[in-house]
């Protein structure tokens, strides 16, 4: 390495000597933009660290050598590089820079300058993605794009539990999430734990039918197009390193857990056999209080390192990156390690007729995952133990059998097993599981792409693209034979001697996509231009998986991950015979489509797409579907009557079209449950022999769900581009919904899937950016985005216009939102006896509501309002960025709080201090029922614990310093940047729990999203 740097230094010294002897001269000129002179533009010789600034009239003068190149740069404008040549005067006109309004719109098939785009597209650049401490880049988009709802169901590193919905949920049973396309390669799922966010250049979110119809059968829920970084032609080697260290911790809550004295005293009062029964005040006072959240949760430490190298010659560019990430979860037993490699190449011929590019990325991740989240498993769910474990048991103590004395020593697995199933020992069961359980997943993910094009004529281009998405997942799970769970789950009634288990599974999927196109671009009579293309596309996917579970391990010979302790088959029983499984899947799509764009004088534009798709999921005439769109724009700012106005951009656009959803059961690319043929399953027959049962009746007219969308929007820039914004109004209707339709039970089943019914999403979206300060030394921009969406079911296959299973807390009804809560209304506590009170359907009050007293609440999990706001500023190298996100009118059941307010098991679990305000004859005015309320169970069907989960969150804040160029003179660095940032720093909400954000209708003992504090260093040379 030392010799390499010596060689580079020698080469640079030689260039320096050569330049020193060259003849110097002065080049002058004027720099302007479309509106006139551009003052204070930076001008420098390419490769030099310093430059000069143009004066207030845009004039400059700079000393150069023959062969130099001049670089002209100004905030908000595209940088230009011009060879000096023999001229002494170089006048330059800079074009407006890439912004959210003037960016190039990319949909993987074509690219347009955004002023010429008639579609609703939002772009997020690497600035707000790179360096964020999120396992998946999807989470960094939260709050940045109006209409894009992102809710995480778990803070576990590597967990694929994030729901992304664009412009409202568009299906009842089908997939509701967007299609993801990375470098032109569609993804089979939204699992991005193995993708390095630092490699992403930009993310384009395609919203309306004008943008998504080109994806046909997969564009119903919108499309998210990810473009990774590439180098530029004629650019020198740039080396960039980003290093980060972070700390994560649990968010706060307002459950107000009891201490030992409060809980033991309440047990004594309740007299249900708890430890506090019969104890005196002095005996109760002797107990310590231990918070089990301190044991199961921790401060997670993370490290992230990224190294990238980019360079370009006249005909070739190269971008290479390496990445490593190590993230500890805040819950013990969870973490993520990730390794990434990427190589992006681009090349062209001297005459620029032939162009090609390649993408290759190889990624490996290993996740240790906690299991049984959201369950009531007292010996399985760590979060349950952290929240509800009794505070008078401690990790370092164990209760002696038959006594209440506390002696030092760890509760061993055998001791716990001999004590039996005592739910009070929940924290010790889970403490034992931490030592005797392992669950991890390893993923290898590779994405490759080859794209080539050739200009047959200056106007006609032929192109082809081949992409491959490879994913392999190996999972491992084991329960030690000498652990409590290993002993407890033996079949002791049948004298099973050995316990414990070991499971491994392997899955592999390969999806290949080929696209061939012929595009034509021509300008006529200076003002008329046409861009058109025809395409064919073929997708082929193959999946394979297998796995086994070995029950019974010998603790003497057992070794983690090995087969040493496997128990051989015994003729007297089948306890130790491994269970095995295997599957194989195939999927395919074939499409041909066309696009056409017409522009007149950059003032009026008209675009259209039509796509014909065939899916393996459907049969006969219903295998093919046709999807189309038409869109138009009017660039009002180009009109003569706008001359002299304060608008530098004002564009009106509209679109209308259709897209399809082939994933009608949300089963993924390989799901084939909708195939229109009889489906049979294996069941237990006569005398426990093998039998077969009918699981699905044949139906040969099953087809796509169809989404028809109308969009009207405007883009504008005003006040010398200080204020920039976008407004969209849309209506999206999904028809031919895939639902179970009732049929006569004489067929052997009471329903059959069919295309029936519809739902709609209507909404408004707004995005604003305003430059409060924009000077040479200071910059401050504030931003806001928001959206409103009304989701409504239009038609259901039901005589009553409802679909409710008779027991759930939510259901479907015509005129209501998806999965609307259907409950009785809680009215408080009866001051006379402490029982719960409820409203009947007619508004009167009762203690004993009937099922017929349930009402539709017009409330659901899906929010009506959401968005974000923040600021981005810089002053003399000091920079700060802050982003707040908000969600309004989202409702969820707080099942954690419900459990903490349930007195029936307070002898086994901790409770909230709020329960101490329970009704008594001396405390009649309260909202907490009596401990012995006779109708307490009826509260489970009410809205008592249905909470408005709206929140405002400080999603992230970053503060840092960019070292000035003058401070870096004499160093090998061109850029040095240090910063600190925090994610999820503060949340304001009525939600009492650890995390107001969730993608579930009810939360119980789930992994919360943590606070994350990160310190970073970025250097370039």
């Amino acid at each position: 390495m030392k010799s390499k740097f010596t060689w580079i230094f020698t080469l640079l010294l030689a260039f320096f000597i050569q330049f020193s002897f060259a003849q110097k001269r002065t080049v002058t000129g004027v720099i302007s933009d479309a509106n006139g002179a551009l003052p204070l533009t930076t001008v420098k010789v390419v490769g030099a660290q310093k430059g000069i600034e143009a004066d207030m009239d845009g004039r400059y003068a700079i000393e150069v050598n023959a062969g130099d190149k001049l670089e002209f740069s100004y905030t908000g404008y595209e940088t230009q590089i011009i060879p000096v040549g023999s001229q002494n005067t170089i006048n330059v006109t800079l074009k407006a820079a890439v912004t959210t309004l003037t960016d190039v719109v990319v949909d993987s098939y074509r690219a347009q300058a955004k002023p010429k785009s008639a579609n609703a597209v939002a772009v997020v650049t690497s600035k707000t993605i790179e360096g964020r401490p999120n396992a998946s880049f999807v989470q960094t988009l939260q709050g940045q794009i109006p209409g894009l709802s992102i809710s995480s169901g778990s803070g576990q590193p590597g967990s694929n539990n994030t729901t992304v919905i664009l412009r409202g949920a568009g299906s009842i049973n089908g997939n509701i999430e967007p299609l993801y396309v990375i470098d032109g390669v569609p993804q089979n799922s939204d699992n991005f734990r193995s993708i390095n966010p630092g490699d992403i250049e930009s993310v384009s979110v395609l919203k309306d039918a004008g943008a998504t119809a080109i994806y046909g059968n997969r564009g119903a829920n919108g499309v998210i197009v990810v473009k990774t970084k590439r180098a530029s032609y004629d650019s020198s080697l740039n080396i960039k390193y980003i290093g980060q260290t972070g700390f994560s911790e649990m968010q706060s809550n307002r459950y107000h857990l009891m201490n030992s004295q409060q809980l033991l005293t309440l047990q004594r009062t309740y007299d249900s056999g708890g430890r506090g029964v019969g104890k005196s005040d002095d005996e109760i006072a002797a107990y310590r209080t231990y918070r089990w959240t301190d044991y199961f949760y921790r401060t997670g430490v993370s490290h992230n390192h990224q190294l990238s190298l980019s360079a370009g010659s006249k005909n070739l560019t190269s971008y290479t990156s390496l990445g490593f990430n190590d993230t500890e979860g805040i819950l013990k037993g969870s973490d993520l390690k990730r390794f990434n490699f990427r190589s992006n190449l681009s090349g062209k011929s001297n005459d620029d007729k032939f162009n090609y590019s390649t993408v290759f990325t190889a990624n490996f991740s290993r996740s240790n995952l906690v299991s049984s989240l959201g369950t009531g498993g007292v010996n399985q769910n760590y979060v349950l133990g952290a929240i509800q474990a009794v505070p008078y048991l401690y990790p370092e103590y164990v209760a002696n059998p038959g006594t209440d004395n506390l002696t030092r020593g760890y509760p061993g697995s055998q001791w716990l097993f001999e004590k039996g199933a005592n739910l009070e020992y929940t924290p010790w069961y889970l403490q034992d599981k931490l030592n005797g359980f392992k669950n991890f997943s390893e993923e290898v993910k590779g994405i490759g792409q080859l794209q080539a094009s050739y200009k047959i004529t200056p106007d006609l281009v032929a192109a082809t693209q081949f992409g491959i998405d490879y994913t392999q997942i190996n999972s491992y799970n084991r329960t030690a034979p000498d652990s409590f769970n290993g002993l407890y789950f033996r079949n002791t009634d049948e004298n099973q001697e050995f316990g414990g288990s070991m499971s491994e599974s392997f899955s592999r999927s390969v999806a290949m996509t080929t696209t061939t196109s012929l595009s034509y671009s021509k300008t006529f009579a200076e003002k008329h231009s046409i861009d058109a293309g025809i395409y064919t596309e073929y997708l082929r996917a193959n999946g394979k998986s297998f796995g086994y579970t070995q029950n019974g391990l010998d603790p003497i010979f057992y070794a983690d991950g090995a087969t040493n302790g496997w128990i051989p088959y015994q003729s007297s029983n089948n306890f130790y015979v491994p269970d095995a499984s295997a599957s194989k899947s195939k999927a395919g799509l074939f499409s041909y489509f066309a696009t056409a764009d017409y522009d007149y004088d950059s003032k009026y534009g008209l675009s259209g797409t039509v796509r014909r798709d065939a899916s393996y999921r459907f049969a006969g005439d219903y295998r093919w579907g046709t999807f189309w769109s038409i869109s138009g724009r009017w660039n009002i700012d180009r009109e003569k009557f706008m001359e002299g106005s304060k608008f530098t951009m004002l564009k009106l656009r509209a679109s209308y079209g259709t897209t399809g959803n082939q994933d009608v059961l949300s089963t993924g690319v390989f799901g084939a449950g909708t195939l229109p043929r009889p489906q049979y399953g294996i069941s237990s027959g006569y005398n426990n022999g093998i039998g077969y049962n009918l699981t699905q009746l044949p139906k040969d007219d099953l087809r796509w769900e169809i989404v028809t969308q109308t969009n009207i929007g405007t883009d504008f820039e005003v006040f010398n581009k200080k204020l920039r914004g976008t407004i969209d109004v849309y209506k999206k209707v999904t028809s031919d919904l895939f639902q179970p339709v009732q049929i006569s039970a004489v067929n052997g089943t009471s329903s059959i899937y069919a295309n029936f019914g519809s739902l709609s999403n209507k909404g408004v979206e707004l995005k604003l950016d305003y430059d409060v300060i924009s000077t040479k030394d200071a910059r401050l921009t504030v931003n806001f985005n928001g959206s409103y969406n009304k989701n409504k079911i239009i038609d259901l296959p039901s005589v009553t216009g409802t679909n409710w299973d008779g027991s759930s807390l939510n259901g479907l009804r015509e005129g209501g939102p998806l999965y609307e809560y259907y409950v009785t209304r809680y009215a408080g506590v009866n001051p006379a006896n402490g029982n719960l009170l409820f409203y009947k359907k007619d508004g009167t009050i009762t203690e004993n509501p009937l099922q017929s007293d349930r009402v539709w609440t017009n409330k659901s999990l899906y929010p009506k309002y959401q968005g974000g706001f923040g600021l981005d500023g810089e002053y003399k190298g000091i920079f700060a960025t802050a982003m707040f996100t908000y969600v309004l009118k989202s409702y969820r059941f707080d099942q954690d709080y419900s459990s903490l307010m349930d007195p029936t098991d307070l002898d086994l679990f901790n409770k909230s201090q709020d329960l101490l305000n329970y009704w008594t004859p001396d405390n009649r005015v309260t909202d907490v029922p009596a401990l012995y309320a006779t109708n307490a169970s009826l509260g489970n069907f009410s809205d008592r614990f249905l909470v408005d989960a709206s929140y405002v969150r400080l999603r992230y804040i970053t503060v840092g310093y960019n070292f000035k160029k003058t401070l870096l003179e004499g160093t090998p660095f061109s850029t040095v940047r240090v910063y600190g940032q925090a994610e999820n720093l503060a949340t304001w909400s009525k939600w009492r729990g650890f995390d107001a954000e969730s993608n579930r209708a009810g939360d119980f003992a789930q992994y919360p999203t943590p606070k994350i504090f990160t310190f970073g260093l970025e250097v370039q040379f």
Side-chain angles (χ1 to χ4, degrees), residues 23-175:
Q23 184 178 358
K24 294 183 179 294
R25 57 194 173 88
T26 299
V27 171
T28 62
V30 177
I31 306 166
S32 59
D33 65 0
N35 299 315
L38 199 60
L40 304 178
T41 302
T42 300
V43 185
K44 71 175 184 177
V45 175
V46 173
Q49 291 190 354
K50 293 196 301 182
I52 57 97
E53 285 186 346
D55 62 19
M56 296 304 294
D57 296 321
R59 300 182 183 276
Y60 74 94
I62 188 170
E63 196 174 64
V64 299
N65 294 311
D68 279 347
K69 296 178 181 179
L70 289 180
E71 179 183 291
F72 301 85
S73 61
Y74 188 83
T75 302
Y77 291 82
E78 294 180 359
T79 298
Q80 283 196 36
I81 297 176
I82 300 176
V84 172
S86 60
Q87 69 268 44
N88 294 321
T89 301
I90 299 178
N91 297 322
V92 179
T93 301
L94 296 184
K95 297 179 180 179
V98 173
T99 69
T100 55
L101 290 178
T102 59
D103 201 357
V104 174
V105 177
V106 178
D107 62 14
S108 293
Y109 300 108
R110 55 185 176 174
Q112 284 181 311
K114 194 155 188 181
K116 291 189 176 183
S117 172
N119 301 323
V121 179
V123 179
V124 176
T125 65
S126 60
K127 181 179 180 180
T128 54
I129 298 175
E130 188 177 65
R132 297 275 298 278
N134 301 99
S136 171
F137 79 87
V138 173
Q139 294 170 325
T140 66
L141 304 179
Q142 192 176 52
Q144 296 198 59
I145 298 172
L148 186 66
S149 172
I150 300 175
S151 54
S152 177
S154 176
Q156 183 166 201
S159 171
N160 182 26
N161 198 349
T162 298
T163 300
V164 181
I165 302 175
L166 182 61
R167 292 186 165 182
S171 181
I172 293 178
N173 295 300
N175 178 39

Side-chain angles (χ1 to χ4, degrees), residues 703-848:
R703 55 193 180 275
W704 329 79
E705 293 182 340
I706 302 296
V707 176
T708 304
Q709 186 172 185
T710 304
N711 189 96
I712 299 175
T714 181
D715 303 328
F716 61 88
E717 293 176 343
V718 68
F719 306 133
N720 198 24
K721 301 182 181 179
K722 281 191 172 184
L723 178 62
R724 305 173 295 277
T726 298
I727 302 173
D728 281 282
V729 180
Y730 64 87
K731 179 179 180 181
K732 187 170 68 169
V733 177
T734 307
S735 56
D736 291 339
L737 290 170
F738 202 71
Q739 301 183 75
V741 176
Q742 291 184 348
I743 60 174
S744 171
V746 73
N747 295 285
T749 181
S750 59
S751 66
I752 186 172
Y753 272 107
N755 295 95
F756 186 96
S758 58
L759 64 84
S760 71
N761 287 277
K762 300 177 182 179
V764 180
E765 298 169 350
L766 171 66
K767 180 174 175 58
L768 296 172
D769 295 273
Y770 181 70
D771 296 331
V772 180
I773 302 173
S774 181
T775 66
K776 177 184 175 182
D777 294 328
R779 174 184 56 82
L780 177 63
T781 300
V782 295
N783 58 75
F784 170 84
N785 77 80
S787 63
Y788 165 79
N789 183 81
K790 183 179 181 180
N791 177 268
K792 185 175 73 172
I793 297 173
I794 300 173
D795 195 13
L796 289 172
S798 167
V799 176
T800 62
T802 62
N803 184 350
W804 181 58
D805 63 9
S807 61
S808 298
L809 295 175
N810 55 28
L812 305 171
R813 72 174 174 106
E814 294 175 358
L818 273 177
Y819 300 109
E820 180 181 3
Y821 296 117
Y822 186 53
V823 292
T824 54
R825 293 167 292 169
Y826 180 60
V829 176
N830 189 338
N833 57 18
N835 280 342
L836 286 73
L837 295 176
F838 305 91
Y839 291 105
K840 298 177 70 174
K841 182 162 286 188
D842 60 7
T844 58
I845 292 179
T846 179
E847 286 189 3
N848 299 292

Side-chain angles (χ1 to χ4, degrees), residues 513-530:
T513 305
T514 60
T515 306
T516 304
S517 66
L518 189 65
S519 58
Y520 176 78
S521 179
K522 184 71 173 180
T523 299
F524 302 91
E526 295 185 358
K527 293 186 177 182
H528 302 270
S529 63
I530 294 177

Side-chain angles (χ1 to χ4, degrees), residues 7 54 143 211 229 257 324 409 528 696 988:
W7 180 84
K229 294 177 179 177
L257 298 177
F324 170 71
H528 302 270
Q696 178 179 315
W988 297 268

